[in-house]
Amino acid sequence: MSTTPTSTSTSAPTPASDRVLAVDEAAAGSALAGFLRGALVRPWSEVRRLIATGKVFVDGRRAQDAGQRLSAGQRVELRMAAPRPRDGRPEVRIVHEDAQVVVIDKPPGVSTVPYEPREQGTAMDLLRDAWRRQGRAATTIALHVVHRIDKDTSGLVVFAKSKRAEIALAAQFRAHTAARQYLCLARGDVRFRRVESFLVRDRGDGLRGSSPAGRGKRAVTHVEVVTRFAVATLCRVRLETGRTHQIRIHFAERGHPIAGETVYIRDLAAAGIAPLAAGRLMLHAELLGFAHPTTGAQLSFDSSSPDFAPDAIERVVQAARRTA
């Protein structure tokens, strides 16, 4: 007896369409790419391509990192009509510019200046990209570094556009007369108001930290509590000095590392305490003030971040409470 083989045909999957997906508790902590692959039933290659071409948004912001960790309550959107990013790089917002200075709003995950040879995509690069979009000859405009904020910190940065401006602004930062204020979400119930220590590059275990012997550079941080939550505290922080990772170190050494911290958590881990998870380091340079380098006029600029909106903070807090 002969049998007639049955043939099956497979059709190409239908193209992805606009979707709005809610991250539930079961998916909390998942990487964005993995979450989308499961929700859309698409291959890894397609999911990564959707993210790389700017079609995926998390809480209204274009996603740039396929490995971004999600929290319960977040909204992941697929917008197929969204324009492709020009080069896949984030953008900076020019807050103020004149003939001598330019102030930008830096996104998290972007170095202020290159730290590695041939490093691309720094804040300086993104500023020149912004100038090009304005039709300006970006490479002919001088840029001088005056100060830096951490790669994982978002917020305000000023660059000088002339050597004269660089010298004048750098003097203000050295004298600690430039105003710098940050918002941060820290683990636990923050009670301290002022921290002073001497910071060293290596405290003995490979990490930057405070020296008990008083060696290193003096660092002073002033803290004001904005809101207390069950597992975290939203703080406004004013820098009296500006040392590398100063805020992160001072909070971590007092048992209150900033949410999203991945470096200064060794002491917490040794005590068996979990850090406060977040999709990014929850530290934002919200205010920057200085005297104009040529006119002497006092300038002050502020910045808000959607990551510090009440609903965004609430998601971080609620996710922490569920895992506490």
Side-chain angles (χ1 to χ4, degrees):
M1 182 177 76
S2 62
T3 60
T4 303
T6 59
S7 61
T8 60
S9 62
T10 58
S11 59
T14 57
S17 58
D18 288 1
R19 297 279 298 276
V20 178
L21 306 167
V23 181
D24 59 20
E25 293 188 15
S30 299
L32 176 60
F35 173 78
L36 284 173
R37 183 173 183 263
L40 302 176
V41 194
R42 300 280 170 169
W44 286 110
S45 58
E46 182 176 349
V47 167
R48 293 192 182 101
R49 184 169 61 252
L50 289 170
I51 297 170
T53 56
K55 309 301 183 187
V56 179
F57 293 74
V58 178
D59 290 338
R61 298 182 66 183
R62 191 190 301 272
Q64 299 165 359
D65 181 6
Q68 174 183 344
R69 296 292 171 179
L70 300 174
S71 301
Q74 287 189 301
R75 285 163 50 94
V76 178
E77 296 179 65
L78 196 61
R79 304 178 188 173
M80 299 307 297
R84 185 187 183 105
R86 290 174 178 83
D87 59 3
R89 298 201 298 199
E91 297 181 3
V92 299
R93 180 174 68 92
I94 298 176
V95 177
H96 169 82
E97 183 177 5
D98 59 38
Q100 299 297 324
V101 301
V102 56
V103 178
I104 65 167
D105 201 344
K106 184 186 82 67
V110 173
S111 298
T112 305
V113 296
Y115 287 96
E116 302 292 339
R118 301 180 182 178
E119 182 179 354
Q120 300 293 315
T122 66
M124 297 181 77
D125 295 327
L126 300 183
L127 173 55
R128 295 191 187 280
D129 288 346
W131 281 336
R132 290 187 186 96
R133 289 193 295 273
Q134 296 174 354
R136 301 164 65 182
T139 56
T140 66
I141 305 174
L143 271 181
H144 302 270
V145 179
V146 176
H147 72 124
R148 301 168 174 83
I149 61 176
D150 300 344
K151 178 177 182 178
D152 296 324
T153 301
S154 57
L156 298 169
V157 180
V158 60
F159 293 102
K161 295 172 64 178
S162 71
K163 193 65 181 177
R164 178 185 178 187
E166 177 194 7
I167 293 170
L169 288 173
Q172 295 181 53
F173 279 88
R174 283 196 303 272
H176 311 306
T177 58
R180 285 167 292 176
Q181 185 171 285
Y182 293 72
L183 271 180
C184 74
L185 184 68
R187 185 189 186 282
D189 186 10
V190 175
R191 292 289 172 178
F192 55 88
R193 294 293 179 269
R194 182 181 183 274
V195 183
E196 180 173 354
S197 71
F198 289 83
L199 298 183
V200 292
R201 184 181 296 272
D202 186 345
R203 64 180 190 178
D205 61 355
L207 286 180
R208 293 180 183 271
S210 297
S211 167
R215 296 177 292 106
K217 296 181 178 180
R218 179 174 175 267
V220 182
T221 303
H222 298 272
V223 180
E224 173 193 350
V225 170
V226 178
T227 308
R228 296 188 190 279
F229 301 95
V231 295
T233 308
L234 180 65
C235 299
R236 183 161 280 120
V237 182
R238 181 174 61 84
L239 290 182
E240 185 173 317
T241 59
R243 310 303 182 193
T244 301
H245 294 179
Q246 175 178 321
I247 297 173
R248 298 167 65 180
I249 292 169
H250 277 171
F251 273 76
E253 288 184 341
R254 277 145 191 82
H256 302 282
I258 294 171
E261 179 66 80
T262 59
V263 177
Y264 299 104
I265 55 174
R266 190 173 296 173
D267 296 340
L268 203 69
I273 303 173
L276 194 62
R280 54 156 292 189
L281 182 72
M282 293 295 286
L283 181 61
H284 178 71
E286 68 167 355
L287 183 144
L288 178 64
F290 52 87
H292 192 277
T294 58
T295 69
Q298 288 295 324
L299 303 178
S300 182
F301 307 97
D302 55 59
S303 161
S304 61
S305 167
D307 296 325
F308 283 82
D311 59 339
I313 292 178
E314 186 63 24
R315 282 192 293 270
V316 174
V317 171
Q318 291 301 323
R321 292 183 69 178
R322 285 190 292 270
T323 59

